[in-house]
Amino acid sequence: MSLTAGIVGLPNVGKSTLFNAITNQKILAENYPFATIEPNVGVVTVPDERMNKLKEMYNPDRFIPTAYEFTDIAGLVKGASQGEGLGNKFLSHIREVDAIVEVVRCFDDGKIIHVDGNINPIRDIETINLELAIADLDVINNRLERVAKKARTTKNKADLVEVEALEKAKKALAENKALRQVEFTEDEKKILKSYSFLTIKPIIYLANIKESELGNPDNEYVQQVKEYATKENAEVVSLCAKVEEELSELTKEEKKEMLEALGLEESGLDKLIQATYDILGLATYFTVGKDEVRAWTFKKGMNAKQCAGIIHTDFEKGFIRAEVISYDDLIEYGSELKVKEAGRARLEGKDYIMQDGDICHFRFNI
């Protein structure tokens, strides 16, 4: 399952430094606007201690954790929706992602250029979010008149639902409300999905702070971001992008030592990756054996047959059943055999809703 989180923000807020840390790739991260033009894409693994336990138990030939993509998108500026700063190109890159990580600079440093001359995180957020909203409004205005005229003529139910959904979206945007804050019906959601609206995508605000503030990350700027995020029920993650980049270059043991020295239990990136995984509505099931231990990403709410199809379309087409045990039961009883002996193994049909931590053997026939 290919899902992508896009890193956005104004120029010089730490996006590319953050991306370097996430993927440990050395992309361009210079101190001037538009150092990133084409989107850089990197795959990150989801930190999951369960995978380490399964690796110890099975000692597999192959060990494949679950992963998804982060895309570093060039800095947006005021007027991006009208093409300023190559804005339309950048906005098109955002349309292709499933969730947004909006990086906000929350520290003062006269050596680092800010496009607006001073630090004001709420102004920066509103600049980005306004451009996203204007871009969505342009899409709605270009479509609404045509579909409304068609709906009046044909009285087609789908057209009428589309008109209602677009009018609801237009009203919300005019009231300075992101579309992710609007309650749409299931039919409306299905219709709006094809538009790839920018403000409907789930969002995390990433507060980039100084290393000296890691022990007490809620500075005045971060508090402002949290107050803003509360209004749209969004999450805020604080980290120092520069420190995270340094951590990404260390061995596992060195990283642990540095985190202890900084007084941290886990890296900010681990928090960000997990938070992004969560807002995308993702969960993990496992397949295990001597040949391979592997984590598979699925959307919460998917059934066993659909999840089988993530491995291979033949698994879904010829699905018979899923043999399922829970990760917690496996750890408690110590082996698959003992889980079965305890009567905790299950045979599930195609309509079984998969749960995070399920360990599955799919049976199929083509």
Side-chain angles (χ1 to χ4, degrees), residues 50-335:
R50 295 174 298 183
M51 282 294 285
N52 295 327
K53 293 286 187 181
L54 293 173
K55 185 178 182 180
E56 291 175 7
M57 292 181 71
Y58 288 90
N59 191 26
D61 297 331
R62 294 186 302 278
F63 175 73
I64 307 174
T66 189
Y68 61 89
E69 293 179 350
F70 266 100
T71 300
D72 177 38
I73 298 167
L76 292 168
V77 293
K78 186 175 181 179
S81 55
Q82 276 72 52
E84 292 295 327
L86 302 179
N88 288 332
K89 187 174 184 180
F90 299 163
L91 289 168
S92 71
H93 293 154
I94 302 174
R95 292 196 188 283
E96 297 171 4
V97 306
D98 302 286
I100 294 172
V101 175
E102 186 168 328
V103 183
V104 187
R105 182 171 154 191
C106 291
F107 64 90
D108 293 298
D109 188 334
K111 297 178 181 178
I112 301 177
I113 299 167
H114 190 288
V115 291
D116 289 321
N118 66 317
I119 305 302
N120 185 328
I122 302 306
R123 178 201 59 209
D124 294 355
I125 289 173
E126 290 179 342
T127 295
I128 296 293
N129 290 356
L130 178 61
E131 295 306 320
L132 302 185
I134 292 172
D136 282 350
L137 272 172
D138 286 344
V139 172
I140 292 171
N141 290 332
N142 289 335
R143 174 64 176 167
L144 186 55
E145 185 175 349
R146 294 198 304 272
V147 72
K149 183 178 180 180
K150 182 182 176 184
R152 287 193 297 269
T153 302
T154 65
K155 305 298 182 183
N156 179 276
K157 182 180 178 181
D159 292 336
L160 291 169
V161 172
E162 184 174 1
V163 170
E164 185 174 345
L166 290 174
E167 288 180 341
K168 186 187 295 186
K170 183 175 181 177
K171 182 175 184 293
L173 291 168
E175 295 172 350
N176 199 29
K177 184 184 293 185
L179 297 186
R180 59 182 158 270
Q181 298 173 260
V182 181
E183 292 187 14
F184 293 104
T185 67
E186 289 304 314
D187 287 342
E188 289 171 343
K189 288 178 183 178
K190 289 177 183 177
I191 288 173
L192 294 179
K193 188 175 181 180
S194 63
Y195 286 95
S196 297
F197 285 127
L198 303 174
T199 66
I200 208 168
K201 299 178 186 295
I203 192 168
I204 289 175
Y205 292 104
L206 191 286
N208 188 14
I209 61 176
K210 285 183 178 180
E211 179 180 351
S212 59
E213 296 177 329
L214 282 172
N216 185 25
D218 281 357
N219 65 30
E220 179 184 355
Y221 294 140
V222 176
Q223 289 175 18
Q224 292 173 19
V225 174
K226 287 186 173 181
E227 288 175 12
Y228 183 95
T230 299
K231 298 174 185 177
E232 53 180 277
N233 198 30
E235 188 168 351
V236 177
V237 175
S238 298
L239 56 72
C240 174
K242 188 62 180 174
V243 167
E244 297 297 332
E245 185 179 28
E246 293 171 4
L247 284 169
S248 71
E249 298 173 347
L250 303 178
T251 65
K252 186 176 180 179
E253 291 73 21
E254 290 171 337
K255 179 178 176 181
K256 183 179 179 181
E257 290 177 4
M258 184 171 176
L259 286 172
E260 289 177 353
L262 292 169
L264 303 175
E265 293 183 1
E266 62 179 328
S267 73
L269 281 182
D270 283 351
K271 292 180 182 178
L272 174 62
I273 292 169
Q274 190 60 60
T276 309
Y277 196 72
D278 289 341
I279 69 164
L280 286 171
L282 304 179
T284 303
Y285 74 85
F286 306 99
T287 53
V288 297
K290 182 65 179 68
D291 58 334
E292 178 182 276
V293 166
R294 183 164 183 166
W296 301 87
T297 299
F298 68 97
K299 275 275 192 182
K300 293 176 182 176
M302 290 179 68
N303 61 37
K305 184 177 180 180
Q306 292 169 325
C307 285
I310 293 172
I311 298 176
H312 197 286
T313 54
D314 285 349
F315 281 33
E316 183 172 7
K317 291 176 183 176
F319 181 90
I320 299 174
R321 65 179 181 273
E323 299 177 6
V324 183
I325 64 175
S326 76
Y327 170 82
D328 289 340
D329 282 344
L330 179 64
I331 297 303
E332 180 179 348
Y333 292 99
S335 71

